[in-house]
Amino acid sequence: MPRYALLVLPATNRVYAEASVGLTRAELGVVAERALDGRLHDIEETVIGGVPYVGFSTGAPLTASEIGHLSQLSSMYALFEIAGEPPGGPAGAATPLLRPVGLTPLDQFDDDLLTIQKYAGKTNELFTKLLLNITVLASVSGPDMLTRKLRILDPLCGRGTTLNQALMYGYDVAGMEIDGKDVEAYSGFLRTWLKRKRIKHQAEFTPIRRERKIIGRRLHVTLAADKAAYKSGETLDLTVVNADTVRARDFFRPRTFDAIVTDAPYGVQHGSHDAGKLSRGPLDLLRAAVPGWVELLRPGGALGMSWNTYVARREDAEEVLAGAGLRVCDSPPFLGFRHRVDQAINRDVVVATKPEPQG
């Protein structure tokens, strides 16, 4: 039975680094369940040559498609097949030989699209990638995530970390954010980055009018990884609406997103204006917004959300999603993502899917 060892990407955040092995094991479990037909076994931390890895076994050598799915893991630094003991070493005592496995990441742009922005409250980009991965995998589109251009919505997008990660995968993306300063900051960053990288694009930031009233603003960007793709029409589409997320149905067509991925309010600095009042309670916001979000999901789509368990119990978050008609993913891998961020934030993840029509 082939055995593999995954070297976890070093994290600059010390607290996240401490949680990274456990999060990697959980993410591997979701990949195994949703994309690899359960072919990964014995997922556990292992030490080789004094270096920690996450090891796993398979019934047969990994296929190209399976390597493709593993290549997108948020913590993937390198992957090795454990080839056996080196010649001449005593059995059970020598360090195993590691044969590198070539990875095939989807990334279409330089990674500074994700890392260059620094601001208070920014979600760790490795965690953002993890949340996007497991949400897409939970959806009916999950097995095709390597070959299809999916459409992703972050209805609480802040300064665009989730949007940027989805762009890296070559997906169309949309976001909503009530804070105009955040939207302006993201617009400025993205336009500057695209120009500096000499990436062919068109961008406009315009008011949204209904019945002669301005009800929001919209950033719309069309871009492509290279000039040839742009000329041939193989472009990516990014839209960010500066408006209240509880009004998402006013700005996007129903049943048009494959996945909704968001970092819900931590009760620290996020919020939403509802009826002229800023609501700091994440559950109040979610109860008002989730039904509209669900209408935007395609049947078979998935919603993935992270939040601070100090301000909302998991049972309460699941109740909000189930009350909007979603089915919460409750298999063991989806229950292994709880981790500490700091003394005020203990983060967890819940993923739920929109049922497909029967018959």
Side-chain angles (χ1 to χ4, degrees):
M1 179 178 292
R3 182 81 178 161
Y4 295 87
L6 184 160
L7 183 60
V8 176
L9 184 70
T12 56
N13 182 301
R14 178 186 59 81
V15 176
Y16 193 83
E18 292 173 354
S20 61
V21 170
L23 292 172
T24 299
R25 292 177 60 183
E27 188 179 1
L28 264 174
V30 171
V31 173
E33 178 183 299
R34 297 287 174 158
L36 275 63
D37 296 323
R39 290 213 315 115
L40 269 60
H41 309 283
D42 304 320
I43 301 172
E44 60 186 9
E45 183 177 2
T46 185
V47 177
I48 302 174
V51 178
Y53 294 79
V54 175
F56 59 89
S57 301
T58 58
L62 291 169
T63 67
S65 175
E66 291 170 338
I67 292 172
H69 280 286
L70 292 171
S71 297
Q72 315 318 318
L73 285 166
S74 62
S75 58
M76 177 65 78
Y77 191 43
L79 181 64
F80 303 92
E81 182 180 2
I82 300 177
E85 305 294 342
T95 301
L97 293 174
L98 299 179
R99 180 183 297 124
V101 176
L103 301 177
T104 54
L106 286 175
D107 296 355
Q108 296 197 8
F109 303 101
D110 294 341
D111 62 5
D112 60 355
L113 175 61
L114 299 168
T115 60
I116 199 170
Q117 288 192 97
K118 304 294 182 184
Y119 54 89
K122 179 185 179 183
T123 304
N124 183 298
E125 54 266 15
L126 299 182
F127 177 76
T128 297
K129 185 175 183 179
L130 180 152
L131 183 58
L132 175 64
N133 285 344
I134 65 173
T135 305
V136 169
L137 285 168
S139 74
V140 70
S141 303
D144 302 321
M145 67 175 290
L146 304 179
T147 56
R148 276 186 55 196
K149 184 169 75 168
L150 305 181
R151 192 161 186 242
I152 309 298
L153 171 67
D154 182 351
L156 299 164
C157 69
R159 296 194 188 182
T161 304
T162 300
L163 307 183
N164 291 343
Q165 178 57 63
L167 282 177
M168 290 286 285
Y169 279 0
Y171 296 161
D172 288 335
V173 297
M176 290 198 70
E177 174 55 47
I178 195 170
D179 191 327
K181 292 182 179 179
D182 278 350
V183 177
E184 289 172 0
Y186 179 62
S187 174
F189 160 74
L190 186 61
R191 292 184 189 207
T192 300
W193 186 87
L194 290 169
K195 290 177 182 177
R196 185 168 57 84
K197 296 289 182 175
R198 298 184 178 179
I199 293 173
K200 187 70 175 177
H201 68 282
Q202 289 185 334
E204 57 181 2
F205 198 1
T206 57
I208 304 171
R209 292 183 171 89
R210 300 278 170 81
E211 298 177 353
R212 299 182 180 180
K213 294 181 180 180
I214 296 177
I215 61 171
R217 294 183 297 168
R218 178 183 287 112
L219 169 67
H220 182 252
V221 181
T222 303
L223 68 153
D226 54 57
K227 291 182 179 179
Y230 193 89
K231 289 181 179 179
S232 66
E234 299 175 13
T235 57
L236 303 179
D237 188 86
L238 177 142
T239 301
V240 179
V241 173
N242 176 202
D244 195 333
T245 191
V246 301
R247 300 180 61 191
R249 288 169 291 187
D250 294 341
F251 301 98
F252 300 105
R253 290 187 295 122
R255 300 178 297 281
T256 56
F257 292 98
D258 297 285
I260 294 176
V261 182
T262 197
D263 208 15
Y266 289 171
V268 178
Q269 61 180 343
H270 297 285
S272 168
H273 288 287
D274 190 9
K277 182 180 179 182
L278 182 64
S279 173
R280 296 286 183 181
L283 287 176
D284 292 338
L285 172 59
L286 293 175
R287 290 187 184 105
V290 166
W293 299 350
V294 172
E295 288 190 28
L296 302 180
L297 268 181
R298 293 189 173 111
L303 187 155
M305 179 182 74
S306 58
W307 82 101
N308 182 8
T309 62
Y310 287 143
V311 297
R313 301 181 307 160
R314 182 180 185 90
E315 294 83 358
D316 295 330
E318 291 181 346
E319 182 181 355
V320 171
L321 300 184
L326 300 179
R327 294 174 180 168
V328 175
C329 299
D330 57 2
S331 60
F334 283 99
L335 303 178
F337 294 104
R338 186 167 178 168
H339 63 285
R340 179 180 176 273
V341 176
D342 58 35
Q343 62 181 4
I345 300 172
N346 196 49
R347 186 162 55 196
D348 203 354
V349 172
V350 62
V351 179
T353 59
K354 184 175 182 177
E356 296 182 85
Q358 298 297 316

Short mmCIF file of all heavy atoms in Angstrom, two decimals, residues 208-234:
data_model
loop_
_atom_site.label_atom_id
_atom_site.label_comp_id
_atom_site.label_asym_id
_atom_site.label_seq_id
_atom_site.Cartn_x
_atom_site.Cartn_y
_atom_site.Cartn_z
N ILE A 208 -24.62 52.57 -8.52
CA ILE A 208 -25.76 51.74 -8.92
C ILE A 208 -27.02 52.54 -8.61
O ILE A 208 -27.27 52.91 -7.46
CB ILE A 208 -25.78 50.41 -8.16
CG1 ILE A 208 -24.46 49.66 -8.36
CG2 ILE A 208 -26.95 49.53 -8.62
CD1 ILE A 208 -24.31 48.45 -7.47
N ARG A 209 -27.82 52.79 -9.63
CA ARG A 209 -29.03 53.61 -9.46
C ARG A 209 -30.28 52.77 -9.68
O ARG A 209 -30.35 51.95 -10.60
CB ARG A 209 -29.02 54.79 -10.42
CG ARG A 209 -27.96 55.84 -10.12
CD ARG A 209 -28.06 57.02 -11.07
NE ARG A 209 -27.19 58.13 -10.67
CZ ARG A 209 -25.95 58.26 -11.05
NH1 ARG A 209 -25.41 57.34 -11.84
NH2 ARG A 209 -25.22 59.30 -10.65
N ARG A 210 -31.25 52.99 -8.84
CA ARG A 210 -32.58 52.42 -9.00
C ARG A 210 -33.60 53.50 -8.70
O ARG A 210 -33.53 54.13 -7.63
CB ARG A 210 -32.80 51.24 -8.04
CG ARG A 210 -31.81 50.10 -8.22
CD ARG A 210 -32.18 49.16 -9.35
NE ARG A 210 -31.09 48.22 -9.63
CZ ARG A 210 -30.86 47.10 -8.93
NH1 ARG A 210 -31.63 46.80 -7.90
NH2 ARG A 210 -29.85 46.31 -9.26
N GLU A 211 -34.52 53.73 -9.62
CA GLU A 211 -35.55 54.76 -9.45
C GLU A 211 -34.93 56.10 -9.08
O GLU A 211 -35.36 56.79 -8.16
CB GLU A 211 -36.56 54.32 -8.39
CG GLU A 211 -37.30 53.04 -8.77
CD GLU A 211 -38.26 52.58 -7.67
OE1 GLU A 211 -38.23 53.19 -6.57
OE2 GLU A 211 -39.01 51.63 -7.91
N ARG A 212 -33.88 56.45 -9.82
CA ARG A 212 -33.18 57.73 -9.69
C ARG A 212 -32.46 57.90 -8.36
O ARG A 212 -32.04 59.01 -8.01
CB ARG A 212 -34.14 58.91 -9.90
CG ARG A 212 -34.79 58.91 -11.29
CD ARG A 212 -35.69 60.13 -11.44
NE ARG A 212 -36.31 60.14 -12.78
CZ ARG A 212 -37.13 61.09 -13.20
NH1 ARG A 212 -37.45 62.10 -12.38
NH2 ARG A 212 -37.66 61.04 -14.41
N LYS A 213 -32.30 56.83 -7.61
CA LYS A 213 -31.58 56.88 -6.34
C LYS A 213 -30.34 56.00 -6.42
O LYS A 213 -30.37 54.92 -7.03
CB LYS A 213 -32.47 56.42 -5.18
CG LYS A 213 -33.65 57.34 -4.90
CD LYS A 213 -34.45 56.81 -3.72
CE LYS A 213 -35.64 57.71 -3.41
NZ LYS A 213 -36.43 57.20 -2.26
N ILE A 214 -29.26 56.44 -5.80
CA ILE A 214 -28.05 55.63 -5.72
C ILE A 214 -28.21 54.66 -4.55
O ILE A 214 -28.36 55.07 -3.40
CB ILE A 214 -26.80 56.51 -5.52
CG1 ILE A 214 -26.60 57.40 -6.75
CG2 ILE A 214 -25.57 55.64 -5.29
CD1 ILE A 214 -25.43 58.36 -6.61
N ILE A 215 -28.20 53.36 -4.85
CA ILE A 215 -28.40 52.34 -3.81
C ILE A 215 -27.11 51.58 -3.49
O ILE A 215 -27.09 50.70 -2.63
CB ILE A 215 -29.50 51.34 -4.21
CG1 ILE A 215 -29.10 50.60 -5.49
CG2 ILE A 215 -30.83 52.05 -4.38
CD1 ILE A 215 -30.04 49.45 -5.83
N GLY A 216 -26.04 51.92 -4.19
CA GLY A 216 -24.77 51.26 -3.94
C GLY A 216 -23.76 51.66 -5.00
O GLY A 216 -24.02 52.49 -5.87
N ARG A 217 -22.58 51.05 -4.92
CA ARG A 217 -21.54 51.25 -5.93
C ARG A 217 -21.02 49.89 -6.37
O ARG A 217 -21.03 48.93 -5.60
CB ARG A 217 -20.40 52.10 -5.38
CG ARG A 217 -20.80 53.53 -5.05
CD ARG A 217 -19.60 54.33 -4.57
NE ARG A 217 -19.07 53.78 -3.34
CZ ARG A 217 -17.89 54.11 -2.81
NH1 ARG A 217 -17.12 55.00 -3.43
NH2 ARG A 217 -17.47 53.58 -1.68
N ARG A 218 -20.56 49.83 -7.60
CA ARG A 218 -20.09 48.55 -8.13
C ARG A 218 -18.70 48.70 -8.76
O ARG A 218 -18.48 49.55 -9.61
CB ARG A 218 -21.06 48.02 -9.18
CG ARG A 218 -20.61 46.70 -9.83
CD ARG A 218 -21.55 46.22 -10.92
NE ARG A 218 -22.80 45.70 -10.37
CZ ARG A 218 -23.97 46.28 -10.53
NH1 ARG A 218 -24.06 47.41 -11.22
NH2 ARG A 218 -25.07 45.76 -10.01
N LEU A 219 -17.78 47.85 -8.30
CA LEU A 219 -16.48 47.69 -8.95
C LEU A 219 -16.60 46.49 -9.89
O LEU A 219 -16.97 45.39 -9.45
CB LEU A 219 -15.39 47.44 -7.92
CG LEU A 219 -14.02 46.99 -8.47
CD1 LEU A 219 -13.37 48.11 -9.27
CD2 LEU A 219 -13.11 46.53 -7.34
N HIS A 220 -16.30 46.70 -11.15
CA HIS A 220 -16.34 45.60 -12.12
C HIS A 220 -15.02 45.54 -12.86
O HIS A 220 -14.57 46.55 -13.42
CB HIS A 220 -17.49 45.75 -13.10
CG HIS A 220 -17.58 44.60 -14.06
ND1 HIS A 220 -17.25 44.70 -15.38
CD2 HIS A 220 -17.94 43.29 -13.86
CE1 HIS A 220 -17.42 43.53 -15.97
NE2 HIS A 220 -17.83 42.66 -15.07
N VAL A 221 -14.40 44.37 -12.85
CA VAL A 221 -13.09 44.18 -13.50
C VAL A 221 -13.17 42.95 -14.39
O VAL A 221 -13.65 41.89 -13.97
CB VAL A 221 -11.96 44.00 -12.45
CG1 VAL A 221 -10.62 43.83 -13.15
CG2 VAL A 221 -11.92 45.17 -11.48
N THR A 222 -12.69 43.10 -15.61
CA THR A 222 -12.51 41.98 -16.53
C THR A 222 -11.01 41.83 -16.75
O THR A 222 -10.33 42.80 -17.08
CB THR A 222 -13.21 42.23 -17.87
OG1 THR A 222 -14.61 42.47 -17.64
CG2 THR A 222 -13.07 41.03 -18.78
N LEU A 223 -10.48 40.62 -16.56
CA LEU A 223 -9.04 40.41 -16.65
C LEU A 223 -8.74 39.04 -17.20
O LEU A 223 -9.62 38.18 -17.30
CB LEU A 223 -8.38 40.58 -15.28
CG LEU A 223 -8.71 39.53 -14.21
CD1 LEU A 223 -7.55 39.42 -13.22
CD2 LEU A 223 -9.99 39.87 -13.47
N ALA A 224 -7.49 38.84 -17.56
CA ALA A 224 -7.04 37.54 -18.05
C ALA A 224 -5.59 37.34 -17.67
O ALA A 224 -4.85 38.31 -17.45
CB ALA A 224 -7.19 37.44 -19.57
N ALA A 225 -5.19 36.08 -17.56
CA ALA A 225 -3.83 35.77 -17.13
C ALA A 225 -2.79 36.23 -18.13
O ALA A 225 -1.65 36.52 -17.76
CB ALA A 225 -3.70 34.27 -16.87
N ASP A 226 -3.14 36.32 -19.41
CA ASP A 226 -2.21 36.81 -20.41
C ASP A 226 -2.98 37.47 -21.55
O ASP A 226 -4.20 37.36 -21.64
CB ASP A 226 -1.32 35.67 -20.95
CG ASP A 226 -2.13 34.50 -21.46
OD1 ASP A 226 -2.98 34.70 -22.36
OD2 ASP A 226 -1.93 33.37 -20.98
N LYS A 227 -2.24 38.17 -22.45
CA LYS A 227 -2.88 38.93 -23.52
C LYS A 227 -3.62 38.02 -24.50
O LYS A 227 -4.67 38.38 -25.02
CB LYS A 227 -1.84 39.77 -24.24
CG LYS A 227 -1.27 40.91 -23.41
CD LYS A 227 -0.28 41.74 -24.20
CE LYS A 227 0.26 42.89 -23.36
NZ LYS A 227 1.24 43.72 -24.11
N ALA A 228 -3.07 36.85 -24.77
CA ALA A 228 -3.70 35.93 -25.72
C ALA A 228 -5.07 35.50 -25.20
O ALA A 228 -6.05 35.45 -25.95
CB ALA A 228 -2.81 34.72 -25.96
N ALA A 229 -5.14 35.20 -23.90
CA ALA A 229 -6.42 34.80 -23.32
C ALA A 229 -7.41 35.95 -23.36
O ALA A 229 -8.60 35.76 -23.63
CB ALA A 229 -6.21 34.33 -21.88
N TYR A 230 -6.93 37.16 -23.13
CA TYR A 230 -7.82 38.32 -23.15
C TYR A 230 -8.38 38.53 -24.55
O TYR A 230 -9.58 38.77 -24.72
CB TYR A 230 -7.05 39.57 -22.70
CG TYR A 230 -7.94 40.75 -22.40
CD1 TYR A 230 -8.47 40.93 -21.13
CD2 TYR A 230 -8.26 41.68 -23.38
CE1 TYR A 230 -9.28 42.01 -20.84
CE2 TYR A 230 -9.07 42.76 -23.11
CZ TYR A 230 -9.58 42.93 -21.83
OH TYR A 230 -10.39 43.98 -21.56
N LYS A 231 -7.54 38.42 -25.56
CA LYS A 231 -7.99 38.63 -26.93
C LYS A 231 -8.98 37.56 -27.37
O LYS A 231 -9.89 37.84 -28.16
CB LYS A 231 -6.79 38.66 -27.87
CG LYS A 231 -5.92 39.91 -27.74
CD LYS A 231 -4.77 39.87 -28.72
CE LYS A 231 -3.92 41.14 -28.62
NZ LYS A 231 -2.77 41.12 -29.56
N SER A 232 -8.81 36.34 -26.87
CA SER A 232 -9.69 35.25 -27.27
C SER A 232 -10.98 35.20 -26.46
O SER A 232 -11.83 34.35 -26.70
CB SER A 232 -8.96 33.91 -27.14
OG SER A 232 -8.66 33.63 -25.78
N GLY A 233 -11.11 36.12 -25.50
CA GLY A 233 -12.32 36.15 -24.68
C GLY A 233 -12.30 35.22 -23.50
O GLY A 233 -13.31 35.06 -22.81
N GLU A 234 -11.14 34.60 -23.20
CA GLU A 234 -11.02 33.70 -22.05
C GLU A 234 -10.69 34.53 -20.80
O GLU A 234 -9.62 34.42 -20.22
CB GLU A 234 -9.96 32.65 -22.31
CG GLU A 234 -10.26 31.76 -23.52
CD GLU A 234 -9.13 30.82 -23.84
OE1 GLU A 234 -8.22 30.68 -23.00
OE2 GLU A 234 -9.15 30.22 -24.92
#
